[in-house]
Amino acid sequence: MSLRAVIDSVEGREKRLTVFDPPNDDAVAELREYFDSQAVRIAEGTTDSSLSGYVVLSDEHDDEVLAAVDLRHLQGEVAVGPGEQSAFAPILEHLDGTTFTSYDISQMMAATREMEDRAWRAGTGELHAGFQRVEAIRAQKGVYEDLATKEIDIHTYCAPSDDTPDIEGVSIHQEDTDEIRRSWFVAFDGGGDPADACLLLAEERGDPADRQFYGFWTYDSTTVATVINHLKQTYAVPA
């Protein structure tokens, strides 16, 4: 299964965020802006049940309620500042395995750090990272030198180059394929604990000058294993 096929398999898992009896139009508008980059459909509804005044996340296919947040807990702006926990934390936890659209470089880097940090804390296992270009590997050399001090089997991927850096403890695989040139990914197998497995997988789409990415992140160990197995089988990564 190619990396694009993995993204396509996730694409149809859209979720719905329903605002029941919103206090004003601004609340709905803020929610649309906040979740703009996620494949989440924002809807309005009315109810006589205890869900009145709540934002409810549900699955589009079976209407299963995944999480709910009381609008009164927002206390003003939907977005929060650095270091503050969003009132939507219970909802965000259920958005893994949901595609995102139009992530820029800064958003991709933030998600990448989350995956790399899991590998660092585990201190063991396999980490596979696709950088597209060798320049990106060079820019992150310090990060991966630090990761290599752990008992982690690290493999990085990029398009071929005559100027590949030498990073002790890190295998750099130069592959002349479209999916390596266009895909940004970080896959960690969990280091023996499936609960720590994680994956960020995205494809660069549109105008190359815009550097916009479409993909998803997940903590599902089966999906993580699928991607790692594909990388091993396709690019002959040693066990």
Side-chain angles (χ1 to χ4, degrees):
M1 178 180 287
S2 68
L3 297 181
R4 171 173 281 188
V6 175
I7 294 174
D8 290 344
S9 72
V10 172
E11 190 170 9
R13 305 175 193 172
E14 188 176 65
K15 294 181 173 65
R16 179 175 67 251
L17 198 65
T18 305
V19 188
F20 287 107
D21 304 316
N24 53 62
D25 292 338
D26 289 342
V28 177
E30 286 186 36
L31 288 169
R32 291 188 191 281
E33 181 179 356
Y34 187 72
F35 290 99
D36 180 60
S37 63
Q38 296 290 145
V40 177
R41 185 169 69 86
I42 308 296
E44 293 184 51
T46 183
T47 179
D48 294 329
S49 74
S50 59
L51 290 178
S52 181
Y54 275 74
V55 179
V56 178
L57 181 71
S58 57
D59 191 285
E60 279 278 68
H61 298 291
D62 56 18
D63 289 328
E64 177 189 2
V65 174
L66 302 173
V69 171
D70 191 334
L71 278 171
R72 291 170 296 184
H73 291 170
L74 297 181
Q75 297 177 344
E77 296 294 320
V78 170
V80 298
E84 299 176 8
Q85 184 178 36
S86 170
F88 282 102
I91 286 176
L92 295 173
E93 290 173 3
H94 287 276
L95 289 183
D96 85 83
T98 300
T99 50
F100 57 74
T101 60
S102 301
Y103 263 31
D104 59 21
I105 295 295
S106 63
Q107 290 170 305
M108 289 297 296
M109 285 301 301
T112 293
R113 289 292 175 261
E114 157 67 14
M115 308 299 159
E116 293 167 343
D117 185 59
R118 280 196 168 218
W120 170 266
R121 284 184 277 117
T124 187
E126 288 184 28
L127 179 68
H128 297 256
F131 287 86
Q132 300 182 286
R133 304 167 178 85
V134 72
E135 293 82 6
I137 295 180
R138 190 178 299 109
Q140 300 302 315
K141 182 178 179 181
V143 173
Y144 278 77
E145 285 176 334
D146 288 344
L147 284 167
T149 64
K150 301 286 189 174
E151 297 297 320
I152 305 172
D153 186 15
I154 303 173
H155 297 270
T156 62
Y157 306 77
C158 67
S161 171
D162 294 330
D163 189 24
T164 306
D166 182 21
I167 307 176
E168 185 176 355
V170 177
S171 299
I172 299 177
H173 305 278
Q174 301 182 69
E175 305 293 344
D176 192 13
T177 66
D178 187 60
E179 74 171 1
I180 292 301
R181 293 180 184 277
R182 299 189 62 81
S183 301
W184 181 325
F185 57 86
V186 184
F188 175 56
D189 70 351
D193 185 352
D196 282 337
C198 57
L199 167 69
L200 168 69
L201 172 60
E203 182 180 61
E204 187 173 0
R205 297 183 180 179
D207 188 337
D210 294 336
R211 301 303 313 276
Q212 296 291 310
F213 293 84
Y214 180 99
F216 69 100
W217 70 86
T218 185
Y219 303 101
D220 176 67
S221 60
T222 300
T223 306
V224 176
T226 295
V227 168
I228 291 178
N229 288 338
H230 166 70
L231 295 169
K232 287 184 172 183
Q233 293 170 8
T234 305
Y235 304 112
V237 177

